[in-house]
Amino acid sequence: MEHCKLYKSHLLFPEDRRLIIEGPVPPQRLSELSMHPDLNAFRRPAEQHDALVEIAGLPEGRIIITRDEEMIVGYVTFHYPDEQERWSQGEMEDLIELGAIEVANDYRSLGLGQKMIQTAFEDGQMEQYIVFTTEYYWHWDLKGSGLNVWEYRKMMERLMKVVDMEWYATDDPEICSHPANCLMVKIGKQVPLSSQEQFDRIRFRQRFMY
């Protein structure tokens, strides 16, 4: 499957800052940038930087960033699902995971998450994919945001709905382990029915629920 990556960039001036949202960013360019020290939700910033470079080098990998001059202050990752997870078991070439989204503390409340996700979907470049994200409450920055688990869940739903991602049911044990966890999905207009049916089989392992 040929993966179409259309580079897009947007210049923003929130609160007298000059920020650039751009992507998909190639690995060489990512390696030249520095990482904001607050981007540590998933791993230490230097390790996360290495992970972004690695993902960008994958055939299907996409990294959308927000940068303040030469410093990455936010990012969104897209890639095939981890081979340890159920979502990879259908070996679907057109199933892509929105894996991580993070914005440095000083740059939150500027709408950067929404704008990065919208940039990834610009000009119909994701219409050939089923794009999904798994939201687990234990990944959420409840302390830093001051939100409770349900408020954070609503915030994440609003974020994903900017590109028309919708809540989908599943019997995945991790998602079902807490009612705030959820699966959000957008099925592109060019995705064949066979892939949609395969995704349904992955979503539901217990046939009585399907």
Side-chain angles (χ1 to χ4, degrees):
M1 182 176 187
E2 185 175 346
H3 298 281
C4 173
K5 301 182 185 182
L6 301 176
Y7 173 84
K8 299 290 177 182
S9 67
H10 302 281
L11 193 57
L12 304 177
F13 296 93
E15 300 178 359
D16 297 324
R17 289 169 161 145
R18 183 183 185 276
L19 304 178
I20 294 175
I21 292 178
E22 61 181 345
V25 183
Q28 177 59 39
R29 176 60 179 142
L30 282 172
S31 66
E32 297 168 352
L33 302 173
S34 63
M35 199 80 162
H36 193 289
D38 283 349
L39 295 175
N40 58 6
F42 302 99
R43 49 176 71 86
R44 288 181 293 187
E47 295 172 355
Q48 186 61 50
H49 191 195
D50 290 343
L52 296 185
V53 173
E54 182 178 349
I55 292 168
L58 299 172
E60 84 287 358
R62 296 163 189 265
I63 304 294
I64 312 297
I65 63 168
T66 301
R67 62 180 172 90
D68 189 339
E69 296 184 350
E70 296 294 285
M71 177 180 287
I72 299 170
V73 299
Y75 64 86
V76 183
T77 70
F78 294 85
H79 47 74
Y80 282 143
D82 188 285
E83 60 185 18
Q84 303 297 321
E85 298 181 349
R86 78 151 60 182
W87 312 105
S88 69
Q89 293 178 1
E91 297 183 348
M92 297 176 62
E93 289 190 331
D94 51 3
L95 180 62
I96 297 287
E97 181 173 8
L98 192 171
I101 179 167
E102 188 177 7
V103 176
N105 294 340
D106 289 347
Y107 295 82
R108 293 182 181 177
S109 304
L110 301 177
L112 300 179
Q114 289 189 6
K115 291 181 176 67
M116 287 190 291
I117 292 175
Q118 287 171 326
T119 299
F121 283 79
E122 254 182 84
D123 288 350
Q125 60 181 304
M126 303 298 272
E127 293 295 351
Q128 60 180 328
Y129 303 111
I130 299 173
V131 180
F132 77 99
T133 186
T134 51
E135 292 298 331
Y136 303 118
Y137 81 92
W138 50 82
H139 287 161
W140 298 342
D141 184 12
L142 300 177
K143 183 178 179 181
S145 67
L147 302 176
N148 66 37
V149 67
W150 297 109
E151 291 167 338
Y152 207 104
R153 156 79 181 263
K154 285 181 181 177
M155 181 183 74
M156 294 306 296
E157 284 193 6
R158 286 196 302 271
L159 177 62
M160 300 306 166
K161 284 179 179 176
V162 301
V163 290
D164 299 323
M165 295 186 82
E166 300 177 353
W167 178 88
Y168 270 58
T170 179
D171 63 4
D172 177 70
E174 275 202 286
I175 291 176
C176 294
S177 68
H178 191 281
N181 296 343
C182 66
L183 172 69
M184 300 284 289
V185 181
K186 177 178 172 62
I187 298 177
K189 294 175 182 175
Q190 298 170 19
V191 174
L193 182 59
S194 58
S195 292
Q196 297 179 46
E197 291 172 342
Q198 173 76 332
F199 182 60
D200 286 339
R201 287 191 289 271
I202 296 171
R203 283 196 299 133
F204 291 104
R205 292 273 189 78
Q206 307 297 327
R207 290 184 178 273
F208 67 86
M209 292 184 68
Y210 179 55

